[in-house]
Amino acid sequence: MIGNRDFFVGRPNIGDQEVFLKRTCEILESRWLSNGGQFCEELERKFSELLGVKHCVAMCNGTIGLEIAARAAGLEGEVIVPSFTFIATAHCLQWQAITPVFCDVDPVTHNLDPSKIEDLITPRTSGILGVHCWGRSCDISGLEDIARRHGLKLLFDASHALGCSSQGRMIGGFGEAEVFSLHATKFVNAFEGGIVTTNNGELANKMRLMRNFGFTNYDQVDYIGTNGKMSEISAAMGLTNLESIEEFIAVNRGNFDAYQDGLAGLPGISLISYDENESCNWQYVVVEVDSKRCSKSRDMIVEYLHRHNVIARRYFYPGCHRMEPYCSSFPSAGLLLPVTENLCQRVIVLPTGTTVSTDDIAWICSVFRECVNLN
Ligand code: T4K
């Protein structure tokens, strides 16, 4: 039925449905639905093992995980972040009156460019929030060096980077804390969910309290807190999907190779690459369109794909700095972000995951080629 189907970026992967349903029955029978149930605890243990990190704190989603991690780590004033990221990276700061200061990214890695950071540091700067964009790690040692020299806290938004490594070490144990998203669109999902990881026991305890209103005992609240708890049904989904992580990665890898073959030789079209020496989840198939060499603009290609029911995405167009409230507060931020501005005009994310077969990909690539080769 290729051609009569929609292909979406972000279609969820779903592991063993019977296992999930069995866990669901256990939840219903136990009458324990949230607030640190058995599946939530098991999920935290399994993530700790996988990532080799001492503490995992499960959250209701990645955005609340970022907000809690930022607050618990003591971020305030200004924090340096990329603009080439999902809006949650900036909003998690602004939501608590911390100003995100947008820094440009490296044109090859799409991650924070350490050489651009020091010019942005002011007496109000309290930290750096790096994003491992597309699952490719930030220049961690470059960022650590700057953070150490300026007394800044270093945190990572690892929403894209579950199962990825940096110089052989799994992402999850770097900086003060790292935050993963288990949203439906992520290759391992918990419907909605997030995980904050840290090797700092004191910080982990603080985050556990903050995710449960600051309760330290039945009738005692010692902190300002919020409700960041992961429900048992989400934990059951997360655990079930985590059990299929190897299969999901293998499918993503095969899909990536199929796209690479299918789009090979098109002038001005390239896929971002991943380091074969690192662990990688291959969950994003990212095309860059070089407008000088390709006969069609990025937007013309996306429009053509959409007309053929291939719902490709322009992540992270137009860049956080061009969205509210940031574009009103810093109308000329783009002048300091030439690489980000350029990337926002050239990137297309294509559908992958277990709902897309290699035959589907051959067809999607034929539509893509047809568009580029049209007179
Ligand atoms: N930091 C970074 C770097 C992130 O990428 C994200 C999330 C976060 C932080 C925040 O984590 P969470 O708080 O979300 O845990 C989507 C996701 O909603 C968002 O979670 C994700 N990043 C972002 C990259 O993608 P949108 O605005 O593109 O969502 P939407 O509704 O357009 O859906 C995306 C695609 O997924 C569509 O093609 C439809 C498909 N889809 C979606 C859902 C929910 C399905 O096929 N089934 C579904 O159930 O943000």
Side-chain angles (χ1 to χ4, degrees):
M1 291 301 281
I2 290 172
N4 287 328
R5 264 179 64 191
D6 290 330
F7 295 102
F8 286 99
V9 169
R11 264 279 185 261
N13 293 324
I14 297 179
D16 189 322
Q17 293 194 26
E18 276 183 29
V19 171
F20 171 67
L21 292 174
K22 188 168 165 284
R23 286 187 166 125
T24 303
C25 290
E26 277 180 56
I27 293 169
L28 299 179
E29 276 155 26
S30 73
R31 295 288 199 275
W32 197 275
L33 308 185
S34 187
N35 295 23
Q38 58 154 336
F39 289 125
C40 185
E41 285 182 1
E42 192 181 341
L43 183 88
E44 292 182 340
R45 270 198 312 278
K46 293 272 164 66
F47 268 92
S48 285
E49 280 163 29
L50 175 73
L51 304 178
V53 64
K54 284 190 191 148
H55 310 281
C56 283
V57 186
M59 301 283 181
C60 56
N61 60 55
T63 306
I64 295 287
L66 283 164
E67 285 175 18
I68 289 179
R71 192 167 195 125
L75 295 188
E76 58 185 356
E78 296 173 0
V79 170
I80 294 170
V81 291
S83 173
F84 190 71
T85 179
F86 189 62
I87 194 68
T89 316
H91 278 354
C92 75
L93 301 167
Q94 187 72 39
W95 189 254
Q96 34 200 347
I98 302 166
T99 306
V101 174
F102 296 118
C103 179
D104 216 356
V105 291
D106 179 279
V108 176
T109 66
H110 302 183
N111 285 323
L112 273 181
D113 180 347
S115 74
K116 306 260 174 68
I117 290 180
E118 286 186 280
D119 283 349
L120 301 173
I121 295 174
T122 74
R124 297 189 70 227
T125 310
S126 64
I128 302 169
L129 174 55
V131 178
H132 304 300
C133 192
W134 316 128
R136 302 189 299 180
S137 109
C138 289
D139 175 354
I140 294 175
S141 50
L143 297 180
E144 280 172 345
D145 178 51
I146 296 170
R148 194 171 37 246
R149 283 190 289 106
H150 292 271
L152 304 177
K153 299 273 167 55
L154 177 60
L155 281 88
F156 292 102
D157 178 341
S159 293
H160 299 180
L162 177 63
C164 301
S165 66
S166 180
Q167 300 196 319
R169 258 179 71 195
M170 292 307 275
I171 287 175
F174 296 102
E176 303 279 333
E178 304 208 62
V179 182
F180 296 85
S181 167
L182 300 179
H183 181 256
T185 54
K186 297 295 181 274
F187 86 111
V188 171
N189 81 81
F191 296 116
E192 292 270 2
I195 296 279
V196 187
T197 55
T198 180
N199 283 313
N200 178 334
E202 206 181 316
L203 187 64
N205 284 342
K206 218 170 179 181
M207 294 192 294
R208 285 184 196 287
L209 295 178
M210 284 183 170
R211 86 172 160 184
N212 188 25
F213 312 102
F215 273 107
T216 48
N217 218 325
Y218 275 135
D219 305 316
Q220 189 177 342
V221 170
D222 286 355
Y223 272 88
I224 180 167
T226 184
N227 183 353
K229 297 183 288 337
M230 177 182 273
S231 71
E232 281 294 90
I233 194 79
S234 278
M237 183 69 158
L239 268 176
T240 307
N241 287 331
L242 192 61
E243 284 156 7
S244 295
I245 189 170
E246 294 303 331
E247 179 204 325
F248 296 159
I249 291 175
V251 169
N252 287 345
R253 174 68 214 253
N255 287 352
F256 182 90
D257 291 343
Y259 274 116
Q260 191 124 52
D261 289 349
L263 297 177
L266 278 179
I269 298 297
S270 54
L271 288 194
I272 68 157
S273 58
Y274 294 94
D275 186 344
E276 298 278 352
N277 296 316
E278 300 284 2
S279 300
C280 177
N281 61 37
W282 305 89
Q283 75 171 312
Y284 290 101
V285 176
V286 183
V287 173
E288 286 191 65
V289 182
D290 178 350
S291 60
K292 293 202 185 81
R293 294 179 52 232
C294 182
S295 62
K296 300 290 178 306
S297 71
R298 185 275 307 270
D299 288 353
M300 286 161 91
I301 299 172
V302 168
E303 206 225 329
Y304 194 83
L305 290 170
H306 280 211
R307 268 197 276 133
H308 290 79
N309 302 337
V310 179
I311 313 303
R313 297 297 295 262
R314 300 185 294 179
Y315 292 138
F316 290 101
Y317 176 84
C320 295
H321 66 289
R322 287 185 176 274
M323 294 175 168
E324 292 292 0
Y326 316 108
C327 58
S328 292
S329 317
F330 314 107
S332 43
L335 295 174
L336 289 174
L337 305 168
V339 178
T340 302
E341 294 263 280
N342 183 269
L343 269 181
C344 287
Q345 298 302 326
R346 53 195 273 144
V347 166
I348 306 177
V349 178
L350 293 172
T352 186
T354 52
T355 61
V356 188
S357 71
T358 47
D359 284 348
D360 296 333
I361 291 170
W363 180 80
I364 293 169
C365 291
S366 73
V367 174
F368 198 115
R369 299 185 85 87
E370 193 176 86
C371 172
V372 171
N373 292 327
L374 276 179
N375 285 321

